[in-house]
Coordinates of all heavy atoms in Angstrom, one line a residue:
G135 N -22.5 67.7 93.4 CA -21.7 67.5 92.2 C -22.7 67.6 90.9 O -23.5 68.5 90.8
Y136 N -22.6 66.6 90.0 CA -23.3 66.6 88.8 C -24.2 65.4 88.6 O -24.3 64.6 89.4 CB -22.3 66.6 87.6 CG -21.3 67.8 87.6 CD1 -20.1 67.6 87.0 CD2 -21.6 69.0 88.3 CE1 -19.2 68.7 87.0 CE2 -20.7 70.0 88.3 CZ -19.4 69.8 87.6 OH -18.5 70.9 87.6
F137 N -24.9 65.4 87.4 CA -25.7 64.3 86.9 C -26.9 64.0 87.8 O -27.1 62.9 88.2 CB -24.8 63.1 86.8 CG -23.5 63.3 86.0 CD1 -22.3 63.2 86.7 CD2 -23.6 63.8 84.7 CE1 -21.2 63.4 86.0 CE2 -22.4 64.1 84.0 CZ -21.2 63.9 84.7
W138 N -27.7 65.0 88.2 CA -28.8 64.9 89.0 C -29.9 64.2 88.3 O -30.2 64.4 87.1 CB -29.2 66.2 89.6 CG -28.2 66.9 90.4 CD1 -27.3 67.8 90.0 CD2 -27.9 66.6 91.8 NE1 -26.4 68.1 91.0 CE2 -26.8 67.5 92.2 CE3 -28.5 65.9 92.7 CZ2 -26.3 67.5 93.5 CZ3 -28.0 65.9 94.0 CH2 -26.9 66.7 94.4
K139 N -30.7 63.5 89.1 CA -31.9 62.8 88.5 C -32.9 63.8 87.9 O -33.2 64.8 88.6 CB -32.6 62.0 89.6 CG -33.8 61.2 89.2 CD -34.4 60.5 90.3 CE -35.7 59.7 89.9 NZ -36.2 59.0 91.1
G140 N -33.2 63.6 86.7 CA -34.2 64.4 86.0 C -33.6 65.6 85.3 O -34.3 66.3 84.6
E141 N -32.3 65.9 85.4 CA -31.7 67.0 84.7 C -31.5 66.7 83.2 O -31.5 65.6 82.8 CB -30.4 67.4 85.4 CG -29.2 66.5 85.0 CD -27.9 67.0 85.5 OE1 -27.9 67.9 86.4 OE2 -26.8 66.5 85.0
D142 N -31.4 67.8 82.4 CA -31.1 67.7 81.0 C -29.8 66.9 80.8 O -28.7 67.4 81.4 CB -31.1 69.0 80.4 CG -31.0 69.1 78.9 OD1 -30.6 68.0 78.3 OD2 -31.2 70.1 78.3
A143 N -29.7 65.9 80.1 CA -28.5 65.1 79.9 C -27.6 65.6 78.9 O -26.4 65.2 78.8 CB -28.9 63.6 79.5
R144 N -28.0 66.6 78.2 CA -27.1 67.2 77.1 C -25.9 67.9 77.7 O -26.0 68.6 78.7 CB -27.8 68.1 76.2 CG -29.0 67.5 75.4 CD -29.7 68.5 74.6 NE -30.4 69.5 75.5 CZ -30.9 70.6 75.1 NH1 -30.8 71.0 73.8 NH2 -31.5 71.5 75.9
V145 N -24.7 67.7 77.1 CA -23.5 68.4 77.5 C -23.4 69.7 76.7 O -22.7 69.8 75.7 CB -22.3 67.5 77.3 CG1 -21.0 68.2 77.8 CG2 -22.5 66.2 78.1
V146 N -24.1 70.7 77.2 CA -24.1 72.0 76.5 C -24.0 73.1 77.5 O -24.2 72.9 78.7 CB -25.4 72.2 75.6 CG1 -25.5 71.1 74.6 CG2 -26.6 72.1 76.6
G147 N -23.7 74.3 77.1 CA -23.7 75.5 78.0 C -22.7 75.3 79.1 O -21.5 74.9 78.9
S148 N -23.1 75.7 80.3 CA -22.3 75.6 81.5 C -21.8 74.2 81.8 O -20.7 74.0 82.3 CB -23.0 76.3 82.7 OG -24.1 75.5 83.1
K149 N -22.6 73.2 81.5 CA -22.2 71.8 81.7 C -21.0 71.5 80.9 O -20.0 70.9 81.3 CB -23.4 70.9 81.5 CG -23.0 69.4 81.8 CD -24.1 68.5 81.4 CE -25.2 68.5 82.4 NZ -26.2 67.4 82.2
R150 N -21.1 71.9 79.6 CA -19.9 71.7 78.7 C -18.7 72.4 79.2 O -17.6 71.8 79.2 CB -20.3 72.1 77.3 CG -19.4 71.7 76.2 CD -18.4 72.8 75.9 NE -17.5 72.4 74.9 CZ -16.2 72.8 74.8 NH1 -15.7 73.6 75.6 NH2 -15.4 72.3 73.8
R151 N -18.8 73.6 79.7 CA -17.7 74.3 80.1 C -17.0 73.7 81.4 O -15.8 73.6 81.5 CB -18.0 75.8 80.4 CG -18.3 76.6 79.2 CD -18.4 78.1 79.5 NE -19.3 78.5 80.6 CZ -20.6 78.7 80.4 NH1 -21.1 78.7 79.2 NH2 -21.3 79.1 81.4
R152 N -17.9 73.3 82.3 CA -17.4 72.6 83.5 C -16.7 71.4 83.2 O -15.5 71.1 83.6 CB -18.6 72.4 84.5 CG -19.3 73.6 85.1 CD -20.4 73.1 85.9 NE -21.1 74.2 86.6 CZ -22.1 74.0 87.4 NH1 -22.7 72.8 87.6 NH2 -22.6 75.1 88.1
L153 N -17.3 70.5 82.5 CA -16.7 69.2 82.2 C -15.5 69.4 81.3 O -14.5 68.7 81.5 CB -17.7 68.3 81.4 CG -18.9 67.8 82.3 CD1 -19.9 67.1 81.4 CD2 -18.4 66.9 83.4
G154 N -15.5 70.4 80.4 CA -14.4 70.6 79.5 C -13.1 71.0 80.3 O -12.0 70.6 80.0
K155 N -13.3 71.8 81.3 CA -12.2 72.3 82.1 C -11.6 71.2 82.9 O -10.4 71.0 83.1 CB -12.6 73.5 83.0 CG -12.8 74.8 82.2 CD -13.2 75.9 83.2 CE -13.3 77.2 82.4 NZ -13.5 78.4 83.3
L156 N -12.5 70.3 83.5 CA -12.0 69.2 84.3 C -11.2 68.2 83.4 O -10.2 67.8 83.8 CB -13.2 68.5 84.9 CG -14.0 69.2 86.1 CD1 -15.2 68.4 86.4 CD2 -13.1 69.3 87.3
L157 N -11.8 67.9 82.3 CA -11.1 67.0 81.4 C -9.8 67.6 80.8 O -8.7 66.9 80.7 CB -12.0 66.6 80.2 CG -13.2 65.8 80.6 CD1 -14.2 65.6 79.5 CD2 -12.9 64.4 81.3
Q158 N -9.8 68.8 80.5 CA -8.6 69.5 79.9 C -7.5 69.5 80.9 O -6.3 69.3 80.5 CB -8.9 70.9 79.5 CG -7.7 71.7 79.0 CD -8.1 73.2 78.7 OE1 -9.2 73.6 78.7 NE2 -7.1 74.0 78.3

Side-chain angles (χ1 to χ4, degrees):
Y136 302 156
F137 313 116
W138 297 96
K139 182 179 179 180
E141 77 173 16
D142 188 344
R144 296 176 298 166
V145 182
V146 297
S148 64
K149 180 184 288 188
R150 190 263 181 210
R151 292 195 303 273
R152 290 174 175 182
L153 292 174
K155 288 184 177 183
L156 289 171
L157 295 172
Q158 178 185 352

